[in-house]
Amino acid sequence: MSIALWCLFIAALLHFGSKMPLAVAQGQAPGGYDNNHPRDQWANLPEWGKRALAAHQNQIESFPFFAAGVLVAVTSGITGSIVDYLAIAFVVARIVYIALYINNVATLRSLVWVVGFGCSLALMCSPAWA
């Protein structure tokens, strides 16, 4: 399996990874984590918990673009280090993005988001420059 496909797998695991801080915040809510109605707790989260929720939702939103980019590159037969570097950069950017979001570092977070999205777009366009 190529590095880009491994990065796709890791990006899918980030759904779980980005949920963990949110679950911690929900667990700290009055009454603890409500597994019957977890979304009802979102309005009462502390500020960092609301940012954890937003980071988790953004992770879910960003995944399809990255997945499409990797799959376009792989199915087009595009191989080489640039595709792997773009995939690695996306995963690193997403990990950093989640941490920055939770810790309320807004400007740098936005710049890191642009890097990740740019990697996805570049992967989608990889057949054009291969």
Side-chain angles (χ1 to χ4, degrees):
M1 194 154 88
S2 70
I3 291 173
L5 288 174
W6 276 112
C7 288
L8 181 59
F9 177 71
I10 293 167
L13 293 179
L14 283 177
H15 287 56
F16 176 74
S18 66
K19 171 67 175 170
M20 293 187 68
L22 174 58
V24 169
Q26 288 178 276
Q28 294 173 353
Y33 189 95
D34 181 359
N35 199 40
N36 291 317
H37 304 95
R39 293 180 183 193
D40 290 345
Q41 290 184 302
W42 293 352
N44 299 320
L45 290 174
E47 287 304 311
W48 78 268
K50 290 178 182 176
R51 290 190 302 273
L53 169 61
H56 175 63
Q57 289 173 329
N58 188 269
Q59 171 57 31
I60 293 168
E61 294 163 357
S62 71
F63 182 75
F65 293 102
F66 177 64
V70 169
L71 294 176
V72 164
V74 169
T75 59
S76 297
I78 309 301
T79 58
S81 56
I82 189 70
V83 169
D84 293 338
Y85 291 144
L86 287 168
I88 292 167
F90 175 85
V91 170
V92 171
R94 293 308 305 173
I95 292 168
V96 171
Y97 176 88
I98 292 165
L100 291 173
Y101 210 141
I102 292 170
N103 290 295
N104 202 25
V105 184
T107 303
L108 185 55
R109 177 195 85 218
S110 295
L111 292 172
V112 171
W113 180 89
V114 168
V115 169
F117 189 65
C119 290
S120 295
L121 292 177
L123 286 165
M124 283 185 224
C125 294
S126 62
W129 44 261

